[in-house]
Amino acid sequence: MEPLKALLLLSGVFGALAELCVIPQMDSQVVEKLGQHLLPWMDRTSLEHLNPSIYVGLRLSSMQAGTKEDFYLHSLKLNYQQCLLGSASIYDTSDCPTKPSAGHLALYLLALRANCEFMGSRKGDRLVSQLKWFLEDEKNAIGHNHEGRPHTSYYQYSLGILALCVHQKRVHDSVVGKLLYAIEHDHNIHQGHLSVDTEAMAGLAFICLDRFLFNPDLRPRITMAIETVRQKILKAQTSEGNFGNIYSTPLALQFLMSSPASGVDLGTACLKAGTSLKASIQDGAFQNPLMISQLLPVLNHKTYLDLTFPDCQAPRVMLAPAVEDLSLVHIPEVISVTLKVSSVLPPYKQTVFILAGSSLEDVLKMAQNIGGFTYETQPSLSGPYLTSVLGKEAGDREFWQLLQDPDTPLLQGIADYKPRDGEIIQLRIVRW
């Protein structure tokens, strides 16, 4: 057995005395339906639609997509390497207008590791260098006195460190130190709410660094940060059982599953979260491919940290496309939805009529077709997000927030949220 792997297994034995995070077993048919929801997305192989997270989630699940899965990885390699290796920097878009972001690149490295590939080639080294350059640039944006913030987010910053660590690539103490400082000084609290998914991603990165004994001079702080993240996430559990909200719960569970603890009621918290997840899955809350891809590993009792030593020979059930039950097909009713925009002058308000089951994006398109309303979006791994409404663009550290009138933030994006009859949706610019 390799010395490093033996050390990690040994540490797991000592950790066996601590309480584990385990969730209730999910019905296999319910899990299969989640996997089936990813299959149509795997047919979208153009660069702007490719999502490495889908591949990672499927590889860490109990299911496989056969040749479709192989072709998807081939498309990822073809498009990402052609786009990323053609320039010196991840910010250079001269040869690739829809260049993948640093978050895309980090997830791509995780996808390669999910296929048991290491970054040992010349091409791989160049991709690693680009991700390291990104982290250095973000570190500089944060500043020597920690008064700034990353150009992107601490979530992408954490994801970059995790992706490099999974490939056993070290990052400088100064890069890790910025993330440690952010966790130690609560930089992931926005509008009074903890960003649970950001904390969880940072926690996964710290656990990886800890397991590989990277950054030894920072080891005491890394150990303390893991405990700090655990306490924050457990404190953020709602009465329903979610950690933050239903969509941040899968990443939170990935972290908690990776960090057994004594002295806290970890088992009960995870069972409660698992029960809430089960109810939400059965209610159809998980439709977004990114959210599903973060959830599937948890349902298979795996996490991103399993990519350090992936089992690429583990048996997985073959997914078949879902068969539509024609007896359930019915003609949808027409509903009314009102749009309000208070961040422009004069304020905008318009009621539109759409078919029940339409997305908020469909509402925006209908309002634009009626006239007097315009909007622009930008693609992301979790779907399109608003960048401009009625000619007003979100500025630096701003974004267009979606709310159920008057002040309830929506947990889904414009492509996933389906308004109800008579609902009032408000679009508002907020700072973060």
Side-chain angles (χ1 to χ4, degrees):
M1 181 180 292
E2 299 173 25
L4 180 56
K5 191 168 185 179
L7 177 62
L8 296 180
L9 290 175
L10 188 60
S11 66
V13 172
F14 287 120
L17 298 176
E19 190 167 353
L20 300 176
C21 174
V22 181
I23 65 170
Q25 191 72 30
M26 298 286 175
D27 182 84
S28 60
Q29 290 185 332
V30 172
V31 178
E32 182 183 16
K33 286 182 179 179
L34 286 172
Q36 288 172 333
H37 195 78
L38 292 182
L39 293 178
W41 290 91
M42 298 182 76
D43 292 326
R44 305 181 181 187
T45 54
S46 59
L47 182 60
E48 62 268 25
H49 291 123
L50 282 170
N51 186 343
S53 185
I54 291 176
Y55 184 83
V56 174
L58 203 53
R59 294 288 295 193
L60 288 174
S61 77
S62 58
M63 302 166 290
Q64 63 161 309
T67 55
K68 184 188 288 281
E69 191 176 299
D70 297 334
F71 183 72
Y72 198 73
L73 178 62
H74 173 75
S75 299
L76 280 169
K77 289 181 177 180
L78 189 67
N79 284 277
Y80 273 55
Q81 291 184 13
Q82 180 179 346
C83 220
L84 291 168
L85 296 178
S87 58
S89 166
I90 196 166
Y91 301 111
D92 180 8
T93 59
S94 58
D95 60 329
C96 188
T98 55
K99 197 179 195 71
S101 67
H104 286 80
L105 173 55
L107 283 169
Y108 174 62
L109 294 190
L110 291 183
L112 293 179
R113 195 71 199 102
N115 194 46
C116 291
E117 297 182 37
F118 261 125
M119 294 283 93
S121 66
R122 184 178 176 185
K123 289 182 178 179
D125 288 342
R126 288 178 61 191
L127 292 176
V128 167
S129 294
Q130 287 205 18
L131 192 50
K132 285 188 175 184
W133 290 335
F134 158 76
L135 290 173
E136 282 290 329
D137 191 54
E138 293 291 69
K139 181 194 76 173
N140 293 334
I142 296 168
H144 178 70
N145 296 321
H146 307 275
E147 294 177 352
R149 297 189 68 87
H151 294 300
T152 55
S153 65
Y154 279 111
Y155 180 93
Q156 288 201 38
Y157 194 83
S158 304
L159 179 59
I161 293 175
L162 175 64
L164 291 170
C165 179
V166 161
H167 281 273
Q168 299 181 31
K169 302 294 183 182
R170 300 173 184 267
V171 294
H172 197 273
D173 280 0
S174 61
V175 172
V176 178
K178 297 298 182 188
L179 185 57
L180 285 168
Y181 188 92
I183 296 298
E184 294 163 351
H185 293 81
D186 294 330
H187 284 192
N188 294 320
I189 294 179
H190 306 296
Q191 297 182 318
H193 297 283
L194 179 72
S195 177
V196 171
D197 51 356
T198 300
E199 291 280 326
M201 188 60 76
L204 287 167
F206 292 145
I207 294 173
C208 185
L209 296 175
D210 186 56
R211 288 184 180 179
F212 282 118
L213 306 180
F214 288 167
N215 308 94
D217 291 343
L218 297 176
R219 190 167 180 80
R221 290 178 68 192
I222 290 173
T223 302
M224 183 60 70
I226 293 171
E227 177 61 26
T228 299
V229 170
R230 183 188 299 111
Q231 293 299 330
K232 287 182 183 179
I233 288 177
L234 290 174
K235 188 177 179 181
Q237 188 166 34
T238 65
S239 57
E240 295 83 7
N242 302 320
F243 294 113
N245 62 58
I246 192 62
Y247 299 112
S248 56
T249 297
L251 268 185
L253 282 169
Q254 283 201 39
F255 166 75
L256 294 174
M257 286 177 170
S258 306
S259 58
S262 56
V264 295
D265 199 357
L266 187 61
T268 300
C270 290
L271 284 173
K272 189 176 180 180
T275 301
S276 178
L277 266 183
K278 184 176 183 179
S280 297
I281 293 169
Q282 291 173 337
D283 288 343
F286 284 85
Q287 301 292 322
N288 183 283
L290 179 65
M291 300 298 106
I292 293 175
S293 70
Q294 293 176 349
L295 172 63
L296 287 178
V298 172
L299 300 183
N300 195 34
H301 307 288
K302 290 188 178 294
T303 77
Y304 289 155
L305 292 175
D306 284 288
L307 297 176
T308 54
F309 298 105
D311 182 1
C312 292
Q313 303 304 318
R316 294 183 293 144
V317 178
M318 182 67 72
L319 274 174
V323 179
E324 185 177 8
D325 187 349
L326 297 179
S327 65
L328 299 178
V329 177
H330 63 280
I331 300 175
E333 62 177 326
V334 175
I335 64 173
S336 68
V337 179
T338 300
L339 274 181
K340 290 174 63 177
V341 185
S342 57
S343 298
V344 297
L345 292 175
Y348 172 88
K349 184 176 181 180
Q350 173 72 52
T351 298
V352 299
F353 296 91
I354 57 169
L355 295 178
S358 298
S359 68
L360 178 53
E361 188 173 19
D362 295 324
V363 174
L364 300 180
K365 289 178 181 177
M366 181 64 73
Q368 186 164 257
N369 290 338
I370 292 172
F373 181 81
T374 60
Y375 74 100
E376 294 179 6
T377 65
Q378 187 170 318
S380 74
L381 287 171
S382 56
Y385 66 91
L386 286 174
T387 56
S388 173
V389 174
L390 292 166
K392 185 174 181 62
E393 295 185 1
D396 188 37
R397 307 298 175 198
E398 292 181 336
F399 69 97
W400 278 99
Q401 187 177 34
L402 315 175
L403 302 106
Q404 187 182 66
D405 195 64
D407 291 305
T408 304
L410 301 185
L411 300 179
Q412 296 169 290
I414 61 172
D416 298 314
Y417 186 74
K418 297 178 181 179
R420 297 184 298 274
D421 188 25
E423 193 167 352
I424 301 174
I425 301 295
Q426 188 170 166
L427 312 179
R428 181 191 303 166
I429 275 194
V430 297
R431 292 190 62 82
W432 60 277

